[in-house]
Amino acid sequence: MRLAIDAMGGDHAPDEIVKGAMLAAKEYPEIEFILVGDENKIKPIVGDHPQFEILHTTEKIEGTDSPVKAVRKKKQASMVLAINEVKEGHADAIISAGNTGALMTAGLFGVGRIKGIDRPGLAPTLPTLKESKGFLLVDAGSNMDAKPEHLLQYAIMGSIYSEKVLNIASPRVGLLNVGEEPGKGNELCKQTYKLLQAAPIHFIGNVESRDLLDGIADVVVCDGFSGNLVLKTMEGTGMSLFSLLKEKLTGSFFTKVIAGLLYPKLRGIKKQMDYSTYGGACLFGLRAPVIKAHGSSKASAIQSSIRQAKRFVDKNVVEMIEKKVQEIDIESIKEDYGE
Amino acid sequence: MRLAIDAMGGDHAPDEIVKGAMLAAKEYPEIEFILVGDENKIKPIVGDHPQFEILHTTEKIEGTDSPVKAVRKKKQASMVLAINEVKEGHADAIISAGNTGALMTAGLFGVGRIKGIDRPGLAPTLPTLKESKGFLLVDAGSNMDAKPEHLLQYAIMGSIYSEKVLNIASPRVGLLNVGEEPGKGNELCKQTYKLLQAAPIHFIGNVESRDLLDGIADVVVCDGFSGNLVLKTMEGTGMSLFSLLKEKLTGSFFTKVIAGLLYPKLRGIKKQMDYSTYGGACLFGLRAPVIKAHGSSKASAIQSSIRQAKRFVDKNVVEMIEKKVQEIDIESIKEDYGE
């Protein structure tokens, strides 16, 4: 297996990205890595390691760049060249911790869609607090004006990925909604509910956003606008609460001393909320695994993303999605429901 | 001023509802209260208090009832009769801590819409952590498939309410979105952004859900589906974190003892997150103030809702909304933007 890595994307690039790849290289001697980025910075870290090849470039896409423009204009950017490696068949998958929008754009145009998939969906694994297996959210921000068919495709892709890559037998797929009863929500939800009921998945019905952290479903399906709102509300609420907690607990000398004794516990909770430990977000629906590692990824998070990419490739998830999606006759499902 | 109160709605009805009204009666000797509910239970609490009148009924709408069906069939329910008091001009406003959906339905059909308002919007005040003034979220779940014009109307109503009832000069109105830059989000957001730019409000642009608790805006406008998702994600994340915190901190005898010393601080944070202290949620766009107190309201929360209703009536907010909405020529705004 050959893996292309955008060595220049993310807050701690290239050092932590390269170090993460080296950790993974030790774990998987069968993987060959193509590190795309500044050779002058990468070479001193990898040396002459036989599993590594460097594709030199100094151009990079910044986090603040406008995605579509950046992909179009920066043709020598590390992310774009890494995607090209997959496009030209030199690599089986690609990982980047860079600009999410740019990766979605470059992935869509460079790698291309799986036949039968209309729109790619971004799928991070978010934390659950009671059990630590997390849940997959599709779509977390790729497809803003999704249609019911897109959500059906997300449900199928999420279900296959969850089973094959995350090892969850018969993953529970839930539709993100504002109430549990069928018939709740907006038109998109009402139509999607019917499609999911008829789909070859373990559909458990509507799930509410307040129950997500409790692990109510393994795969949660929604349009990209809603998914992104929920993702950022969770992050924001968690961070605001932690900062308030810190402020209150260090308000007086007395509480400060006591709180100091509890810090290891608080750090533990914060770590449990940190979804970068679950690996990167997958861009579902493309002809090869495209994985977006968290922007703040350090070596161990990159290593997790590489494990994820390896299983993604080994289990033939892309082929399975292609096959399953083509078996489904959306028009006949719609007819069944009198659409 | 005369105020109709659904004495049988909410988890602590009728006792806490009636006690709340009695606290408010002392504060405002000029308000006359119509308590709608079971006289046998209400009379022993209010006695012969001159500000109170009891409208007896034993029927009530349950929290689990289907809203539309319940309003249609339970014609003698306390909530329906309370709405009727407003409809028939016997009361200036109504408060209920009962079934939210039923109150929206009964309010819409009983009280009716303000001329120029297409769809009512539910507007709770949610907590902010740094300053304690909170922010208004419109719509939090009334209008699932909102159109840009509806969001414009919410922005105008929220702005007037925020200024007149909450005493915020030139309230900052933000559009809930997945990014700050103009042009972000789904079609609804893109169209709404243009309308809000041209509206007679202090529009501050897109706001992200992760910044809401920090008080980034005074009024946050969105469709009812998104608003409800965000509201429940905040609640869910907060509650999950508190329960995890409790679990971790009471895991060993050592931390249990220490944590005990910090409990007053933790309770303080929990209280700060409890949005029932900000009063009830308003149902904007109806011809009289309809206020939904939180289901778990105790006497002091009911008292806050009554204060809110009083200002709502005293400041002529309904008339101001009607006037402002009619001044706005949505069609000409749309033409300006080449729609």
Side-chain angles (χ1 to χ4, degrees):
Chain A
M1 173 185 161
R2 287 171 64 86
L3 187 59
I5 294 182
D6 169 13
M8 310 311 281
D11 306 340
H12 307 292
D15 286 32
E16 293 289 326
I17 310 292
V18 176
K19 281 179 192 161
M22 289 186 74
L23 290 173
K26 205 169 171 184
E27 194 178 345
Y28 306 112
E30 69 275 27
I31 302 183
E32 292 169 31
F33 296 87
I34 306 163
L35 297 174
V36 188
D38 190 342
E39 187 160 21
N40 298 325
K41 289 177 178 164
I42 298 170
K43 189 77 184 174
I45 310 174
V46 290
D48 290 317
H49 197 299
Q51 285 171 263
F52 288 90
E53 183 185 309
I54 301 171
L55 181 59
H56 177 70
T57 186
T58 53
E59 194 169 37
K60 63 169 284 200
I61 292 175
E62 306 291 338
T64 51
D65 279 345
S66 158
V68 179
K69 265 191 215 163
V71 170
R72 203 176 289 158
K73 294 197 174 167
K74 295 186 168 179
K75 294 206 185 298
Q76 296 300 312
S78 55
M79 183 194 284
V80 175
L81 293 182
I83 286 279
N84 281 350
E85 289 300 290
V86 177
K87 183 182 181 181
E88 287 163 15
H90 304 152
D92 303 300
I94 174 213
I95 294 172
S96 173
N99 186 317
T100 309
L103 187 63
M104 294 194 292
T105 306
L108 181 59
F109 294 112
V111 178
R113 283 180 286 121
I114 293 174
K115 201 181 157 190
I117 298 293
D118 297 311
R119 296 289 193 94
L122 186 67
T125 297
L126 299 186
T128 47
L129 295 180
K130 284 177 188 167
E131 298 164 273
S132 59
K133 60 181 181 170
F135 71 94
L136 202 67
L137 181 74
V138 216
D139 168 32
S142 171
N143 184 5
M144 288 293 141
D145 288 284
K147 295 191 162 53
E149 302 86 282
H150 305 161
L151 268 57
L152 169 64
Q153 291 161 11
Y154 296 156
I156 290 167
M157 294 193 283
S159 193
I160 292 172
Y161 177 87
S162 198
E163 192 179 330
K164 300 300 169 188
V165 178
L166 306 177
N167 264 332
I168 296 169
S170 185
R172 297 161 303 152
V173 180
L175 174 64
L176 185 67
N177 207 330
V178 297
E180 287 176 16
E181 307 84 354
K184 280 274 177 182
N186 55 17
E187 272 310 307
L188 174 65
C189 287
K190 289 176 192 171
Q191 298 304 321
T192 304
Y193 191 96
K194 295 174 191 170
L195 295 182
L196 297 186
Q197 270 187 306
I201 52 169
H202 178 197
F203 179 50
I204 59 164
N206 293 322
V207 295
E208 288 205 66
S209 56
R210 68 161 67 120
D211 301 321
L212 297 181
L213 288 175
D214 293 336
I216 194 169
D218 300 306
V219 179
V220 174
V221 172
C222 60
D223 67 280
F225 185 78
S226 300
N228 201 275
L229 279 186
V230 164
L231 176 72
K232 286 179 180 160
T233 307
M234 280 185 182
E235 279 184 350
T237 307
M239 280 166 57
S240 295
L241 276 178
F242 274 113
S243 80
L244 188 66
L245 199 62
K246 201 173 168 185
E247 188 192 308
K248 292 263 176 185
L249 294 189
T250 53
S252 75
F253 179 73
F254 173 68
T255 53
K256 204 169 184 166
V257 169
I258 294 172
L261 299 169
L262 294 175
Y263 270 169
K265 295 277 177 190
L266 296 178
R267 261 201 306 273
I269 295 175
K270 213 166 175 177
K271 205 176 165 190
Q272 208 168 330
M273 285 288 286
D274 175 12
Y275 62 95
S276 72
T277 58
Y278 291 97
C282 297
L283 197 50
F284 282 155
L286 300 182
R287 283 204 296 254
V290 175
I291 290 172
K292 165 66 179 78
H294 206 275
S296 63
S297 291
K298 295 218 169 180
S300 68
I302 295 298
Q303 187 184 14
S304 302
S305 298
I306 293 170
R307 276 195 204 112
Q308 197 178 355
K310 185 175 186 309
R311 276 189 78 85
F312 208 134
V313 172
D314 286 351
K315 297 281 174 178
N316 292 314
V317 171
V318 168
E319 289 74 11
M320 292 189 70
I321 289 173
E322 186 160 6
K323 195 161 165 278
K324 185 72 99 179
V325 167
Q326 282 171 20
E327 280 168 11
I328 293 168
D329 185 350
I330 288 186
E331 294 311 316
S332 81
I333 293 180
K334 281 188 174 177
E335 274 167 26
D336 280 354
Y337 286 102
E339 305 290 307
Chain B
M1 173 185 163
R2 286 172 63 86
L3 186 59
I5 294 182
D6 168 12
M8 309 311 281
D11 306 340
H12 307 291
D15 287 33
E16 293 289 327
I17 310 293
V18 175
K19 282 180 193 161
M22 290 185 74
L23 290 173
K26 205 169 172 183
E27 193 177 347
Y28 306 112
E30 69 276 27
I31 301 183
E32 292 168 32
F33 295 87
I34 306 163
L35 297 175
V36 188
D38 190 343
E39 186 160 21
N40 298 325
K41 290 178 178 163
I42 299 170
K43 190 76 185 176
I45 310 174
V46 290
D48 290 316
H49 197 298
Q51 285 171 263
F52 288 90
E53 182 185 310
I54 301 172
L55 180 58
H56 176 70
T57 186
T58 52
E59 195 169 35
K60 63 170 284 200
I61 292 176
E62 306 291 338
T64 50
D65 279 345
S66 156
V68 179
K69 265 189 214 163
V71 171
R72 203 176 289 159
K73 294 196 174 170
K74 295 186 169 178
K75 294 206 184 300
Q76 296 301 312
S78 55
M79 184 194 284
V80 174
L81 293 182
I83 287 281
N84 281 350
E85 289 300 290
V86 178
K87 184 183 181 180
E88 287 163 16
H90 303 154
D92 303 299
I94 175 214
I95 293 172
S96 173
N99 185 315
T100 309
L103 187 63
M104 294 193 293
T105 307
L108 181 59
F109 294 112
V111 179
R113 283 179 286 121
I114 294 172
K115 200 181 159 190
I117 297 293
D118 297 310
R119 296 289 192 94
L122 185 68
T125 298
L126 300 187
T128 47
L129 296 180
K130 285 177 187 166
E131 299 165 272
S132 60
K133 61 181 179 166
F135 71 94
L136 202 66
L137 182 74
V138 217
D139 168 33
S142 172
N143 184 5
M144 288 292 140
D145 289 283
K147 294 190 161 55
E149 302 87 280
H150 305 162
L151 267 58
L152 168 64
Q153 291 162 11
Y154 296 155
I156 290 167
M157 295 193 283
S159 192
I160 292 173
Y161 177 88
S162 197
E163 190 178 330
K164 300 300 168 186
V165 179
L166 305 178
N167 265 332
I168 296 168
S170 186
R172 298 161 301 153
V173 180
L175 175 63
L176 184 67
N177 207 331
V178 296
E180 287 175 17
E181 308 83 353
K184 279 275 177 182
N186 55 16
E187 271 309 306
L188 175 65
C189 287
K190 290 176 191 171
Q191 298 303 322
T192 303
Y193 191 96
K194 295 174 191 170
L195 294 182
L196 297 186
Q197 270 188 307
I201 52 169
H202 178 198
F203 179 50
I204 59 164
N206 293 323
V207 294
E208 289 205 65
S209 56
R210 69 161 65 117
D211 300 321
L212 297 181
L213 287 175
D214 292 337
I216 193 168
D218 300 306
V219 179
V220 174
V221 172
C222 60
D223 67 281
F225 185 79
S226 300
N228 201 274
L229 278 186
V230 165
L231 177 70
K232 287 180 180 161
T233 308
M234 280 185 181
E235 280 185 350
T237 307
M239 279 167 56
S240 295
L241 275 179
F242 274 114
S243 80
L244 187 67
L245 199 62
K246 204 175 166 185
E247 188 192 308
K248 293 261 178 191
L249 294 188
T250 53
S252 74
F253 180 73
F254 173 68
T255 53
K256 203 169 185 168
V257 168
I258 294 172
L261 299 168
L262 294 175
Y263 271 169
K265 294 278 178 190
L266 296 179
R267 261 202 305 274
I269 295 176
K270 212 166 177 178
K271 204 176 164 187
Q272 209 168 330
M273 284 289 285
D274 175 14
Y275 62 95
S276 72
T277 57
Y278 291 98
C282 297
L283 196 52
F284 283 155
L286 300 182
R287 282 203 297 253
V290 175
I291 290 172
K292 166 65 180 80
H294 205 275
S296 62
S297 291
K298 295 217 169 184
S300 68
I302 295 297
Q303 186 185 15
S304 303
S305 298
I306 294 169
R307 276 196 204 111
Q308 197 178 355
K310 186 175 186 309
R311 276 189 79 85
F312 208 134
V313 172
D314 286 352
K315 296 282 175 178
N316 292 315
V317 171
V318 168
E319 290 73 13
M320 293 189 69
I321 288 174
E322 186 160 4
K323 194 161 167 278
K324 187 71 101 181
V325 167
Q326 281 171 22
E327 280 169 10
I328 293 167
D329 184 352
I330 287 185
E331 294 312 315
S332 82
I333 292 180
K334 280 188 175 177
E335 274 166 27
D336 280 355
Y337 287 101
E339 304 291 310

